[in-house]
């Protein structure tokens, strides 16, 4: 009896079932739409690059030649309205 079981194991029979059942889980699960990803904050070299570009490359200058600070939104809006009214 023990010799018979050894021969049956080495025969290499079916392991994972028939191919008729392949993909049954994927086809039966409902499709969920992908969520919008929230953009992560920059860090390291990329953050330094972003800060440099914001401070020195994309500079908003006033007519006097001085640059506006990063928190100066009211002044910027007032000046844009003046330009639009001219």
């Amino acid at each position: 009896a023990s010799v018979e079981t050894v021969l049956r194991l080495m025969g290499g029979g079916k392991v994972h079932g028939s191919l008729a059942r392949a993909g049954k889980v994927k086809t039966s699960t409902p499709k969920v739409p992908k969520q919008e990803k929230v953009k992560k904050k920059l860090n390291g070299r990329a953050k330094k690059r972003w800060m440099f570009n914001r401070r020195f490359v994309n500079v908003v200058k006033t007519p006097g030649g001085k640059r506006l600070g990063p928190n100066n939104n009211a002044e910027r809006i007032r000046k844009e309205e003046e330009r639009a009214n001219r």
Side-chain angles (χ1 to χ4, degrees):
S2 63
V3 175
E4 200 174 302
T5 55
V6 171
L7 291 175
R8 212 179 275 158
L9 287 173
M10 294 182 70
K14 296 179 184 174
V15 181
H16 288 296
S18 66
L19 289 176
R21 294 184 299 197
K24 67 183 174 67
V25 174
K26 185 174 182 179
T27 55
S28 63
T29 52
K31 178 76 173 110
V32 179
K34 287 190 175 182
Q35 296 178 340
E36 288 187 25
K37 292 183 179 178
V38 178
K39 188 174 181 184
K40 65 178 182 176
K41 287 186 176 181
L42 296 174
N43 57 356
R45 178 198 49 79
K47 184 175 181 182
K48 295 285 186 187
R49 179 177 179 228
W50 175 74
M51 285 167 55
F52 177 82
N53 286 334
R54 188 179 70 175
R55 289 178 184 170
F56 300 110
V57 178
N58 301 327
V59 177
V60 178
K61 292 203 174 185
T62 58
K66 212 173 172 190
R67 74 176 184 94
L68 291 176
N71 210 20
N72 198 354
N73 290 328
E75 188 70 14
R76 180 183 57 83
I77 292 170
R78 184 181 65 78
K79 288 182 180 181
E80 285 178 358
E81 287 175 355
E82 283 180 11
R83 284 188 212 130
N85 291 337
R86 287 183 190 174

